[in-house]
């Protein structure tokens, strides 16, 4: 497929002005004795979005900046690139078929919610323990495995809800046990150089869990049946146009959007859990304790909250959230002991993008990555090669965010 | 007495080196080839683990991208040997550059399935009689791989200057995964998962040994291992070692005391990635085929685990740890039955290994080999402290409460 | 001739103005105290002098060389050494190695063997020579403080900034630090001491700088400064009332 130069030139133009904005803007702000903390980022995004048209007024007027200034230009960049893409490749399914676009969008959102849930677990752990768990994907993998074995081997024909609860229980228990044995000594000062230790020991856990599951469950891919069937239903408007149609395995809206049943139920469960989590964090005493510890560890300890308990709880809960996303997704994707690796990587991307330790950031980041993946999977020309790069897209985002704005979109200042 | 004890590890080191140098001629059991293969692989891992320990243990840069540099070395060498040819006459069909009286040609990418002829095959019919086409030297390819490793080490080292701990770990994982995806995806060039083939280290054999004989490769790998240990020993005992350790301990304090933090951080990346690239290029030629799987995250964890279990703050401990673990893992491959259960040791050994890694980290932080080495080199320090204090009978000013 | 010239330094973090046009000069081997209530900008000033952070505007010249845009290690090479408020010894390096770092960083041709003699002398002076082969982490807090001072001797700068050298040290150690300061000063080095301990600062320093919310409100002879109404006002008006009490009472006793 001939892929137009127009797209690559646009990309080059955007990147070029982004770099110019990133380098020049802070210098101008510095020379005028103004706050430069946001200047690099805003300069980069304004430059990328508008080129000299936006940059020159910015340089001349040098307004007071906040992180919000980079959001609109950032969105504009996406629009520009999408437009250039459409110009360059008008026959592409993503450009030509609106129903395909809607389906990809809705699927991206649906899967993004679940990614968000998983990343929420990781960010919860980070905000309370100050640790990035490199074994997060393994919890996800185990969650899915437990559901599969529960439904297909141990208790055939039992309710999927029981299986999901079992997955939560198992992953929560693994998290709690691991935290007690390996991470608790870190916070009581028993372990030297806790930062390095946490990285290595969670890495060790990932290695251990992955091979443990492979040794016990084998290396063949498994996949659970879909949990529930949709009731058959059809709703048409007075003019005879379709509004909602469901079959057992699919849901379609306005004859344009089609969401497969497993994804839909997975997202539904994820939203439910999210609401429960928010209620837990904001309405219960324990949840408030958790948030207090994440805000200020010492102050919370003075106020009578035992940080050690909160650590354990947070790690267990974080692992459980990953396990839960795995449990809901085992009916969507086929499952291997290795699926955790990609899931871990994706969670890293999300929390770095959203800002380490930020709960809303994790959720928004999850949605963005979900949409991004849907767009990437559907729209990129030269499919075989593009598919090969799919694992890299997230990592490119990750490395760029780390280099340009390590605090992410919603992150606290370091 | 104490002085002699300090020397014991050095003497043991010489002894071990002598043993390894003599081994291929002394050993003569039936599993000769297998054991030789284990040694070569063990050296390969020892080079990687010890250079990672220089990066992580000495300089405090917990990078997860070490295998990426190894892969850059391997793919650099492989691409060179697959795509570069020297021809005495111009072909007219290939990309070609005059090169010292010959023509250096770059073959076009073929892909995995393509059966079409390369530009050289097409040119072959028109080239004048007597035209000589030569494969490039394996050693030039290795050199190119190593230089590429150094270059990427420099670039990554520059980029990660501001990143610490977890952020560095995430960034280097990202770099490694991007590289892996690129190698997997650019099938036309790298053959993707099918793997890129490399000629053996000695394509026509040497000293009467066939190209497939293990002995020459054994010595090459051993010499590179010894050389890298020698270079690193010199480095860690020189100002370089002192400065990178001070950076590990406290970057700001080191800078305030005049240490050029940027320079030494970049240098340590360049040096360790160069060593990793050399190991990768050699191992690539030895195995004969490389795939993107050489840089999956589990390979990285294997190297990290070897270094950590040996002792990450000591290059010798890391190297010894790697060699021992490599042998232990190989000999634990045999599966067995317990009653009705078949214990598939090829997986279970790794489960146990992961557990040992975690337990080592938790309860024996300095690794299992390093305390042994420390016992030789540092056991007299406490006695010395006490002795000097008594001898000079000076009170402890900083606080007798210590 | 030692000459430090600080010109009109401003520093703001976001909207927070931390330093507000601070200027002063150091000529020759002076012994200067830098005081001010909490949040006055003392540590920020130190970090700017050291090169760890860059001023929003203003310049710093050290012996005629402009140093404010330089990274910390180049500032160290230009002749400025500092300690940190929290002790920062290299914990997994021996005491001797701790001392080798600045010596070898300053002189690229020096090897460890060339530094041993000087290092042992420094350790003897600081009375921690019996610990020379111990790791930094094995030392008590006070000993680590001495080790940090020892590193400065090996660095051999023209100007030394000591950030809270007396915080949490017992009398015997205090005595050693006193001797250290006098000796270094007699060797011809300028010293800037940042401290909350008002007795020591009045005993030691020949000149006093007072920072208050980013403004340098007084600069001069300690006897004059402590009678300065602006200084008393600054301490009374803010949270450091203990200091103000002492200031007032010491004024009273001498009046």
């Amino acid at each position: 497929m001939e892929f137009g130069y127009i797209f690559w030139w646009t990309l080059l133009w955007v990147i070029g002005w982004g770099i110019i904005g990133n380098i020049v803007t802070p210098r101008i702000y510095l020379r005028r004795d103004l706050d430069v903390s946001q200047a690099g980022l805003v300069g980069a995004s304004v430059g990328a979005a508008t080129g000299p048209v936006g940059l020159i007024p910015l340089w001349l007027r040098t307004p007071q900046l906040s992180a919000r200034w980079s959001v609109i230009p950032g969105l504009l960049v996406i629009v520009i690139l999408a437009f250039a893409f459409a110009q360059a490749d008008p026959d592409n399914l993503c450009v030509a078929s609106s129903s395909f676009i809607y389906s990809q969008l809705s699927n991206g959102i649906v899967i993004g919610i679940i990614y968000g849930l998983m990343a929420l677990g990781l960010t919860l752990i980070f905000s309370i323990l100050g640790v990035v768990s490199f074994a997060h994907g393994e919890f996800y993998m185990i969650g899915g495995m437990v559901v599969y074995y529960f439904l297909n081997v141990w208790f055939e024909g039992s309710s999927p809800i029981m299986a999901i609860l079992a997955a939560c229980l198992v992953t929560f228990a693994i998290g709690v046990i691991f935290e007690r044995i390996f991470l608790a000594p870190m916070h009581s000062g028993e372990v030297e150089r806790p930062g390095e230790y946490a990285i290595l020991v969670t890495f060790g856990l990932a290695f251990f869990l992955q091979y443990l599951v492979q040794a016990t469950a084998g290396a063949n891919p498994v996949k659970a049946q879909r949990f529930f069937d949709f009731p058959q239903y059809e709703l048409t408007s007075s003019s005879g146009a379709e509004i909602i149609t469901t079959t057992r395995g699919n849901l379609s809206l306005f004859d344009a959007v089609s969401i497969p049943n497993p994804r839909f139920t997975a997202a539904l469960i994820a939203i439910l859990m999210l609401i429960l989590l928010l209620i837990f964090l904001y309405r219960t005493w324990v949840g408030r304790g958790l948030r207090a510890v994440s805000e200020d560890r010492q102050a919370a300890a003075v106020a009578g909250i035992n940080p050690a308990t909160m650590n354990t709880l947070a790690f267990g809960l974080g692992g459980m959230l990953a396990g839960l996303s795995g449990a809901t997704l085992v009916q969507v994707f086929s499952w291997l002991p290795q699926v955790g690796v990609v899931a871990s990587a994706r969670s890293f991307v999300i929390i770095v993008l959203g800002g380490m330790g930020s709960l809303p950031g994790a959720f928004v980041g999850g949605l963005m990555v979900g949409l991004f993946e849907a767009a990437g999977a559907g729209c990129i020309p030269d499919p075989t090669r593009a598919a090969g790069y799919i694992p890299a897209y997230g990592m490119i985002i990750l490395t760029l965010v780390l280099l340009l704005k390590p605090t992410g979109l919603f992150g606290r200042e370091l | 007495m104490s002085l002699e004890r300090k020397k014991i590890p050095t003497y043991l080191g010489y002894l071990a080196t002598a043993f390894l140098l003599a081994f291929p001629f002394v050993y003569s059991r039936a599993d000769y080839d297998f054991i030789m293969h284990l040694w070569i692989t063990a050296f390969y891992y020892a080079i990687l683990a010890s250079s990672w320990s220089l990066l992580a243990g000495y300089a405090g840069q917990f990078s997860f991208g070490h295998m990426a540099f190894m892969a850059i070395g391997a793919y650099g060498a492989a691409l060179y040997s697959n795509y570069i040819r020297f021809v005495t006459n111009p072909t007219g069909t290939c990309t070609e550059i005059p090169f010292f009286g010959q023509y250096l040609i770059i073959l076009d990418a073929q892909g995995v399935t393509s059966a079409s002829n390369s530009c050289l095959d097409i040119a072959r019919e028109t080239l004048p009689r007597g035209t000589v086409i030569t494969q490039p030297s394996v050693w030039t390819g290795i050199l190119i791989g190593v230089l590429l490793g150094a270059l990427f080490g420099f670039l990554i080292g520059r980029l990660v200057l501001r990143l610490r701990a977890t952020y560095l770990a995430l960034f280097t994982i990202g770099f490694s995964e991007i590289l892996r995806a690129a190698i997997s995806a650019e099938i036309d060039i790298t053959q993707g998962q099918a793997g890129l083939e490399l000629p053996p280290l000695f394509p026509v054999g040497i000293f009467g040994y066939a190209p497939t004989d293990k002995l020459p490769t054994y010595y090459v790998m051993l010499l590179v291992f010894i050389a890298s240990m020698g270079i690193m020993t010199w480095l860690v005992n020189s100002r370089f070692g002192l400065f990178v350790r001070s950076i590990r301990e406290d970057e700001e304090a080191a800078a305030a005391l005049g240490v050029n933090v940027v320079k030494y951080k970049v240098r340590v990346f360049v040096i360790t990635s160069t060593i990793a690239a050399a190991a990768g290029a050699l191992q690539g030629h030895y195995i004969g085929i490389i795939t993107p799987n050489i840089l999956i995250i589990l390979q990285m964890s294997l190297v990290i685990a070897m270094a950590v279990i040996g002792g990450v703050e000591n290059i010798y401990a890391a190297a010894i740890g790697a060699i021992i673990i490599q042998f232990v893992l190989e000999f634990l491959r045999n599966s067995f039955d317990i009653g009705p259960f078949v214990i598939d040791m090829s997986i279970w050994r790794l489960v146990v290994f992961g557990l040992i890694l975690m337990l080592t980290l938790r309860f024996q932080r300095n690794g299992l080999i390093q305390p042994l080495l420390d016992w030789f080199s540092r056991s007299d320090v406490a006695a010395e402290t006490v002795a000097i204090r008594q001898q000079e009978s000076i009170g402890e000013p900083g606080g007798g409460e210590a | 001739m030692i000459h430090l010239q600080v010109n009109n330094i401003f520093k703001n973090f976001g909207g927070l103005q931390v330093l507000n046009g601070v200027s002063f000069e150091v000529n020759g081997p002076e012994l200067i105290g830098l005081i001010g209530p909490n949040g006055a900008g003392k540590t920020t000033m130190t970090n700017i002098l050291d090169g760890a952070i860059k001023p929003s505007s203003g310049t710093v010249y050290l012996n005629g060389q402009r140093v404010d845009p330089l990274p910390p290690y180049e500032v160290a090479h230009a002749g400025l050494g500092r300690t940190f408020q929290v002790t920062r010894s290299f914990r997994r390096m021996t005491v001797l190695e701790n001392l080798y770092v600045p010596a070898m960083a300053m002189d690229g041709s020096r090897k460890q063997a060339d530094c041993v003699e000087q290092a042992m002398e420094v350790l003897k002076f600081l009375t921690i020579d019996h610990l020379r082969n111990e790791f930094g982490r094995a030392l008590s807090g006070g000993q680590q403080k001495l080790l940090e001072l020892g590193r400065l001797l090996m660095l051999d700068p023209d100007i030394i900034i000591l950030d809270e050298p007396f915080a949490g040290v017992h009398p015997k150690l205090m005595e050693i630090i006193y001797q250290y300061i006098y000796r270094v000063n007699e060797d011809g080095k300028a010293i800037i001491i940042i401290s909350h301990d008002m007795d020591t600062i009045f005993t030691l320093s020949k000149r006093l700088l007072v920072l208050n919310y980013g403004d340098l409100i007084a600069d001069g002879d300690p006897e004059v400064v402590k009678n300065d109404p602006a200084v008393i006002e600054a301490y009374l008006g803010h949270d450091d009332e203990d200091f103000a009490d002492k200031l007032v009472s010491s004024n009273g006793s001498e009046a």
Side-chain angles (χ1 to χ4, degrees):
Chain A
M1 187 184 296
E2 183 62 40
F3 192 45
Y5 280 103
I6 202 167
F7 180 75
W8 297 115
W9 280 112
T10 315
L11 195 66
L12 208 67
W13 166 269
V14 164
I15 291 172
W17 280 106
I19 291 172
I20 291 171
N22 183 257
I23 292 171
V24 176
T25 316
R27 286 175 192 225
I28 290 176
Y29 271 73
L30 193 65
R31 188 163 301 160
R32 303 220 178 136
D33 198 14
L34 291 161
D35 173 25
V36 292
S37 56
Q38 304 291 341
L41 184 74
V42 173
S45 55
V46 170
T50 59
V53 181
L55 275 181
I56 288 167
L58 180 75
W59 292 344
L60 291 177
R61 311 245 335 251
T62 52
Q64 178 98 37
L65 300 174
S66 70
R68 252 173 296 156
W69 279 70
S70 59
V71 174
I72 293 166
L75 292 175
L76 198 59
V77 170
I78 296 172
V79 172
I80 289 172
L81 288 182
F83 186 72
F85 186 87
Q87 288 295 314
D89 194 9
D91 302 329
N92 193 298
L93 204 54
C94 278
V95 181
S97 156
S98 64
S99 87
F100 183 77
I101 296 175
Y102 292 133
S103 285
Q104 288 300 90
L105 264 180
S106 52
N107 275 312
I109 290 171
V110 161
I111 210 93
I113 290 171
I114 302 160
Y115 290 168
L117 188 71
M118 178 172 177
L120 216 56
L122 192 56
T123 219
L124 185 71
I125 294 172
F126 183 80
S127 71
I128 288 170
L129 285 90
V131 163
V132 168
S133 166
F134 284 84
H136 203 60
E138 274 59 38
F139 284 90
Y140 165 88
M141 179 269 291
I142 287 174
M145 279 291 175
V146 168
V147 166
Y148 173 79
Y149 273 85
F150 197 92
L151 291 178
N152 297 52
V153 181
W154 301 330
F155 306 100
E156 263 180 88
S158 57
S159 156
I161 297 203
M162 293 304 291
I164 292 172
L165 286 179
C168 289
L169 207 69
V170 169
T171 45
F172 184 78
I174 294 173
V176 165
I177 294 168
F178 175 77
E179 204 282 338
R180 282 281 93 188
I181 299 177
F182 289 100
L183 294 182
M186 208 174 91
H187 287 98
S188 60
E190 258 177 80
V191 174
E192 278 193 54
R193 293 159 273 139
E196 302 165 14
Y197 171 78
I199 296 173
L200 292 176
V201 84
T202 54
F203 211 70
L205 178 69
F207 191 93
F208 170 72
L209 287 179
Q210 189 175 327
Y211 279 116
L212 184 68
V213 172
Q214 194 173 335
T216 48
N220 295 324
V222 297
K223 191 173 176 187
Q225 293 292 310
R226 63 169 175 259
F227 294 159
F228 307 104
D229 287 340
F230 283 136
Q232 303 253 9
Y233 181 71
E234 201 162 328
L235 180 70
T236 46
S237 69
S238 51
S239 61
E242 178 197 38
I243 297 177
I244 299 175
T245 314
T246 58
T247 61
R248 268 183 300 179
N250 202 37
L251 167 85
S252 74
L253 292 172
F254 305 112
D255 205 13
V257 177
S258 150
I259 306 171
N261 169 320
R263 286 176 187 239
F264 188 82
T265 45
L268 216 60
I269 296 168
I271 291 171
L272 219 78
M273 282 310 294
L274 206 67
I275 293 167
L276 283 180
L277 184 75
L278 288 178
I279 292 172
F280 170 74
L281 282 180
Y282 286 84
R283 288 275 176 273
T284 65
W285 193 87
V286 181
R288 285 180 187 150
L290 273 177
R291 287 195 297 132
V293 172
S294 91
E295 290 294 326
D296 188 335
R297 218 180 162 73
Q298 262 132 29
V302 171
I305 299 163
N306 182 357
T309 317
M310 292 300 153
N311 284 342
T312 312
L313 188 64
F315 202 88
L317 268 181
M320 191 189 89
L321 288 175
L324 186 74
S325 356
T328 58
L329 285 184
V330 70
Q331 47 161 357
V332 180
F333 302 121
S334 65
W335 222 247
L336 279 168
Q338 283 83 24
V339 292
V341 178
V342 178
S344 272
R346 191 185 293 123
S347 309
F348 299 153
V349 176
I350 293 170
I351 66 161
V352 167
L353 186 64
M356 307 259 275
S358 155
L359 296 184
F363 199 69
V364 175
L367 280 179
M368 286 171 70
V369 169
L371 283 170
F372 200 73
E373 280 188 7
C379 303
I380 291 161
D382 193 358
T384 49
R385 192 195 240 179
Y389 273 111
I390 282 177
Y393 294 131
M395 286 299 161
I396 292 169
I397 299 178
L398 174 94
T399 48
L400 284 179
V401 173
L402 280 176
L403 290 179
L404 293 176
K405 191 172 185 334
T407 49
L409 296 177
F410 296 80
R412 310 171 189 178
E413 286 304 311
L414 289 174
Chain B
M1 166 66 205
S2 64
L3 238 170
E4 271 174 32
R5 192 205 274 172
K6 269 191 181 172
K7 292 257 182 203
I8 289 175
T10 318
Y11 294 140
L12 286 178
Y14 291 141
L15 212 64
T17 312
F19 167 77
L20 291 177
L21 283 170
F23 181 81
F25 291 105
V26 178
Y27 192 77
S28 59
R29 287 255 202 71
D31 57 356
Y32 183 82
D33 270 3
F34 175 62
I35 297 293
M36 288 291 274
H37 168 75
L38 289 192
W39 274 116
I40 294 169
T41 316
F43 296 149
Y44 161 75
Y45 278 117
I47 296 170
L48 290 173
S50 57
S51 56
W52 188 76
S53 93
L54 180 61
L55 183 63
Y58 285 78
Q61 308 296 309
F62 276 75
S63 157
F64 284 53
H66 209 54
M67 295 311 259
F69 296 117
M70 182 280 290
I72 286 171
Y75 270 93
L79 292 175
Y80 180 77
S81 73
N82 273 284
Y83 288 102
I84 303 294
R85 295 286 181 276
F86 294 97
V87 190
T88 44
N89 289 304
T91 57
T93 47
C94 297
T95 317
E96 50 196 351
I97 306 155
F99 190 79
F100 297 112
Q102 293 192 333
Y103 291 88
L104 183 158
I105 64 170
I106 302 168
L107 301 183
D108 35 87
Q110 285 293 293
V112 188
T113 49
S114 162
S116 72
N117 289 327
S118 75
C119 63
L120 194 59
D121 292 329
I122 298 162
R124 222 173 281 246
E125 287 160 17
T126 57
L127 280 173
R129 203 168 272 280
T131 303
V132 183
I133 302 169
T134 33
Q135 291 263 354
S137 150
V138 165
W139 301 101
T140 323
I142 292 174
L143 186 68
I144 283 172
V146 170
L147 290 178
L148 275 177
L151 179 70
F152 273 87
F154 176 76
L155 293 176
I156 296 298
R158 290 287 326 181
L159 283 179
V160 300
L161 281 172
R162 282 194 309 154
L163 302 177
R164 306 228 171 137
T166 308
Y167 292 86
L168 176 70
L170 289 175
F171 182 88
T172 45
I173 286 179
F175 166 64
S176 184
E177 287 293 300
I178 291 170
L179 188 69
R180 186 167 72 89
I183 293 172
S184 311
E186 296 296 339
I187 295 171
D188 289 350
I189 299 169
T190 63
Q191 314 271 306
Q193 290 292 342
L196 197 54
E197 285 181 23
L198 293 90
L201 271 180
F202 301 97
V204 290
I206 187 169
F207 301 134
Y209 290 98
T212 50
D213 277 346
K214 308 271 186 207
L215 187 134
T217 312
Y218 174 95
Y219 277 110
V220 170
M221 202 59 116
L222 176 62
L223 288 180
V224 170
F225 173 49
I226 293 173
S228 76
M229 289 311 282
I231 292 168
M232 287 194 286
T233 304
W234 175 70
L235 280 172
V236 300
N237 290 326
S238 69
R239 62 177 55 238
F240 176 88
L242 194 68
F243 291 165
V244 293
R245 277 160 64 215
S246 75
I247 291 169
R248 168 192 75 189
E249 292 300 312
D250 191 329
E251 208 176 305
E252 285 166 52
L257 292 173
V259 176
N260 188 341
V261 173
V262 171
K263 181 165 101 180
Y264 282 95
K265 270 173 111 173
V266 174
R267 270 192 197 174
V268 78
F269 264 101
V270 172
I271 289 164
T272 53
S273 48
T274 307
I275 294 173
L282 284 179
Q283 183 76 354
H285 278 291
Y286 165 60
I287 298 290
I289 186 163
I290 49 174
T291 68
N293 292 348
I294 56 176
L295 50 83
I296 58 172
I297 215 80
L298 280 168
Q299 276 290 318
M300 187 68 232
S301 13
L302 199 63
V303 169
I304 290 176
M306 286 169 167
V308 167
I309 293 176
V312 74
E313 280 170 42
N314 186 310
I315 48 171
Y316 305 101
I320 296 168
I323 292 174
I324 292 176
I325 288 166
Q326 159 66 13
F327 272 89
V328 168
L329 283 181
E330 277 307 320
F331 287 120
L332 285 180
R333 262 180 197 281
N334 302 320
S335 302
F336 56 87
D337 304 344
I338 303 176
F341 298 106
V342 182
I343 304 297
D344 179 5
M345 279 310 285
S346 64
I347 302 298
W348 275 107
R349 70 198 169 115
L350 294 169
V351 179
V352 175
F353 184 53
L355 199 61
I356 292 173
L357 169 64
M358 282 155 66
L359 293 175
T360 308
L361 278 166
R362 170 73 184 82
F363 298 106
Q364 191 63 50
R365 189 59 195 285
N366 288 333
L368 303 179
I369 311 288
Q370 193 182 332
L372 226 66
L373 298 176
D374 283 348
W375 182 78
F376 285 111
S377 63
R378 285 194 56 83
S379 62
D380 51 345
V381 168
E384 184 196 81
T385 306
V386 174
I388 299 175
R389 185 160 51 192
Q390 281 170 349
Q391 183 195 335
E392 299 183 355
S393 63
I394 287 174
E396 199 175 324
E401 74 274 4
Chain C
M1 182 63 184
I2 297 164
H3 182 70
L4 176 74
Q5 193 184 344
V6 179
N7 298 323
N8 214 17
I9 292 287
F10 284 85
K11 178 68 194 177
N12 51 322
F13 294 110
L16 186 68
Q17 195 74 28
V18 182
L19 291 174
N20 228 339
V22 175
S23 304
F24 62 90
E25 272 185 53
V26 178
N27 285 305
E30 291 191 80
L31 232 175
I32 301 172
L34 174 61
I35 60 171
N38 289 328
K42 302 184 297 275
T43 301
T44 307
M45 192 68 233
T46 313
N47 285 337
I48 285 176
L49 292 178
D50 164 52
I53 56 178
K54 306 292 159 219
S56 305
S57 72
T59 54
V60 181
Y61 288 87
L62 178 56
N63 300 336
Q65 183 189 0
R66 184 162 172 196
V67 293
D68 59 278
L70 301 182
Y73 84 93
E74 283 188 33
V75 179
H77 281 261
L80 187 137
R82 54 99 48 114
T83 61
F84 294 89
Q85 204 163 358
V86 182
T87 322
R88 294 172 116 167
S89 70
F90 301 135
R91 292 173 56 78
R92 277 175 289 164
M93 296 170 76
T94 67
V95 167
L96 275 176
E97 283 173 335
N98 263 274
L99 296 184
Y100 295 152
V101 169
M104 290 167 69
M106 289 306 283
D107 183 349
S109 63
R110 256 176 120 174
K111 299 210 164 50
Q112 288 194 8
D114 310 331
C115 310
V116 180
E117 209 173 308
Q118 191 195 354
M120 284 310 293
E121 220 170 273
V122 166
L123 289 180
K124 276 218 173 74
F125 173 66
L126 295 168
T127 70
I128 48 172
D129 56 325
H130 59 288
L131 297 168
R132 61 187 177 204
N133 285 325
E134 293 287 353
F135 281 125
R137 64 175 167 205
L139 271 56
S140 71
Q143 290 165 339
Q144 293 200 22
K145 205 145 215 166
L146 289 177
L147 177 57
E148 235 187 330
L149 294 174
R151 289 196 310 211
L152 278 186
L153 283 183
M154 300 298 283
L155 184 70
D156 199 23
D158 293 336
I159 295 184
I160 289 178
I161 304 175
L162 303 176
D163 199 347
E164 300 287 357
F166 306 108
V169 301
H170 60 80
K172 195 169 177 186
L173 183 60
M174 191 100 101
E175 189 56 39
I176 297 171
I177 299 178
Y178 262 72
Q179 282 178 19
Y180 172 92
I181 289 171
Y182 284 132
R183 185 185 128 169
V184 171
N185 190 226
E186 274 163 23
D187 282 353
K189 298 182 195 317
I191 302 181
I192 300 174
I193 305 165
I194 298 171
S195 179
H196 271 101
D197 187 341
M198 122 116 190
D199 296 334
T200 50
I201 231 124
F202 277 101
T203 324
L204 275 171
S205 52
K206 308 279 193 307
R207 178 182 160 198
L208 216 50
L209 302 173
V210 186
L211 272 177
N212 183 36
Y213 278 89
D215 292 310
L216 190 67
I217 57 170
D219 176 0
D221 189 88
E223 292 304 318
V224 180
V225 166
K226 71 179 166 188
N227 290 314
D228 188 329
V231 175
I232 297 170
E233 163 66 26
Y235 275 92
L236 275 179
H238 299 110
D239 51 358
D240 216 346
E241 295 198 7
D242 186 36
F243 193 102
D245 285 345
K246 279 188 179 175
L247 207 63
V248 174
S249 69
S250 77
N251 284 340
S253 68
E254 278 170 19

